[in-house]
Amino acid sequence: MTDGVPTWEEVARDHGRFLYSVAYRLSGNDDDAQDLVQEALIRVRRGLERYEPGSLEGWLARIVTNVFLDEVRRKRRRPTSALPEDPEWVLPPSPAADEVSMGLSDDIQAALATLPEEFRVPVVLCDVADQSYEQIARALGVPVGTVRSRIHRGRRLLRSLLTEGAA
Amino acid sequence: MTGNGMTGQPGQWSEDLLSAYADGEATAEQRALVEARIAESPSLRAVLEEIEAARDAVRALPQRDAPPEFWARILDGTGLDTRDVMAPAAADAGAPAPVVSLETRRASRLSRWVAVAGGAAAAAVIAAVVLVPSPKQVDPPVASFTDAHAVRNSLDSDAVASLAPLALQAGFRR
């Protein structure tokens, strides 16, 4: 580390798990999380020269979130798979098949994956990446009040989903 | 977001202040407002408890580890091996700890990891022993992807507002 700026190896070594966890909670499955982390590390490598020492995990969370949102937009512009005929295609994905069974964690992850990105992203940044509302607002380019509202609505929806699932 | 108690001007009540209150993100004025409201409204207190439960549930999710093969691929040529990144428990499958050269382990600061086992550990051994790189070399294979991916600036505008009408959860796999 030079002048508070980590090397790429230090980022991968010390923050790789953090990056992966955020990516996994955003995307909901390992395959997508791996793609996100790979792309995020490419951007980290490019961006380290411009990194200003501060909240490294905040910076990393912002990068992986941007990668995630870019992928969502890209998929919307150019879907790669035809919509299935089954009308249930709009149902949220089931928990990742490769997720090791962890009981309640599976239910929570499934509910989290069900949240629209609009709510899931700020909830993950707040409760998984441990970012402040101000940091989330900067990362998403929205006012703090918007972050507060989305986090709150996301949590209410999450609670509702978990309650329904338990019923 | 109207008609839902979810928005408000500074100093005015809005329900989303409950989350800010729960997160320690409310101002003193907002805290007083929330406390006054929940003192007189059992239903609001119930909402506060619900969102705290939802928050705690997400915060309690375990940190997720990538498969060791993923890190082996990413770290190829960096002087690090998968155990530098992964939690020891992630590869705990009951087999003996792998044999890794001390030199490699010192170079990549592995001494803090004590026991890694199982199939994941086997991949770690491959990464550590077979790849044996210069510790300072930075040439991960991810660089080969850089030409195919332009850096995209996502912060010029509200990054998520346009995503609201999500109906289909599409995977990213190409």
Side-chain angles (χ1 to χ4, degrees):
Chain A
M1 186 178 295
T2 304
D3 296 330
V5 178
T7 63
W8 186 89
E9 292 98 324
E10 287 171 334
V11 170
R13 183 194 67 209
D14 298 336
H15 303 279
R17 290 187 71 211
F18 169 79
L19 261 182
Y20 193 83
S21 284
V22 175
Y24 181 79
R25 300 306 173 195
L26 286 172
S27 65
N29 67 78
D30 280 309
D31 286 343
D32 289 342
Q34 289 175 33
D35 287 348
L36 293 180
V37 171
Q38 179 171 290
E39 175 65 19
L41 286 173
I42 289 170
R43 296 189 191 188
V44 166
R45 196 160 180 246
R46 289 171 171 164
L48 274 175
E49 290 178 1
R50 298 184 300 279
Y51 172 69
E52 296 178 1
S55 171
L56 180 57
E57 292 201 337
W59 184 63
L60 296 175
R62 176 172 170 158
I63 289 174
V64 76
T65 298
N66 287 339
V67 175
F68 172 72
L69 294 174
D70 288 347
E71 285 294 331
V72 170
R73 292 190 195 95
R74 190 181 67 81
K75 283 294 181 183
R76 291 211 178 127
R77 286 196 304 268
R78 196 174 50 187
T80 55
S81 58
L83 296 178
E85 294 180 359
D86 186 345
E88 293 189 347
W89 66 269
V90 295
L91 291 176
S94 58
D98 50 3
E99 170 117 357
V100 177
S101 177
M102 291 181 288
L104 185 58
S105 292
D106 289 344
D107 297 335
I108 298 166
Q109 174 57 42
L112 191 59
T114 304
L115 293 182
E117 280 94 347
E118 181 185 25
F119 304 134
R120 191 191 327 153
V121 170
V123 165
V124 168
L125 289 176
C126 181
D127 295 332
V128 176
D130 197 26
Q131 299 298 293
S132 69
Y133 286 14
E134 180 65 39
Q135 288 173 308
I136 297 168
R138 283 201 301 271
L140 301 181
V142 298
V144 170
T146 302
V147 170
R148 185 179 70 203
S149 174
R150 290 177 182 174
I151 287 173
H152 185 70
R153 294 181 69 188
R155 285 172 175 164
R156 289 211 72 175
L157 185 53
L158 195 59
R159 179 66 176 174
S160 172
L161 291 166
L162 290 170
T163 304
E164 287 172 11
Chain B
M1 288 177 284
T2 58
N4 197 19
M6 304 294 282
T7 60
Q9 299 303 313
Q12 291 186 341
W13 169 253
S14 79
E15 192 194 283
D16 54 22
L17 287 176
L18 292 174
S19 274
Y21 179 81
D23 291 335
E25 293 272 1
T27 64
E29 182 184 15
Q30 290 169 335
R31 282 199 305 275
L33 192 57
V34 169
E35 287 166 1
R37 291 277 180 154
I38 60 177
E40 64 188 28
S41 172
S43 63
L44 270 182
R45 173 166 288 284
V47 172
L48 176 62
E49 290 170 356
E50 285 183 3
I51 61 107
E52 285 176 335
R55 175 200 62 186
D56 293 345
V58 176
R59 289 184 178 181
L61 285 170
Q63 195 163 41
R64 183 76 176 182
D65 264 317
E69 299 80 13
F70 170 73
W71 287 118
R73 180 162 48 92
I74 291 292
L75 301 176
D76 182 11
T78 65
L80 303 177
D81 73 31
T82 56
R83 291 187 303 166
D84 285 308
V85 180
M86 297 185 68
D92 187 5
V99 177
V100 181
S101 83
L102 286 175
E103 182 178 350
T104 301
R105 290 182 61 107
R106 285 192 194 105
S108 52
R109 303 179 188 177
L110 289 177
S111 58
R112 56 189 163 156
W113 303 110
V114 179
V116 178
V125 172
I126 292 171
V129 176
V130 176
L131 302 179
V132 193
S134 164
K136 293 188 177 180
Q137 180 183 358
V138 182
D139 187 22
V142 293
S144 64
F145 294 94
T146 55
D147 291 340
H149 296 265
V151 173
R152 288 157 289 205
N153 186 344
S154 303
L155 302 176
D156 292 340
S157 60
D158 181 343
V160 293
S162 62
L163 305 176
L166 175 68
L168 173 61
Q169 306 275 342
F172 294 154
R173 271 314 208 203
R174 283 83 174 164

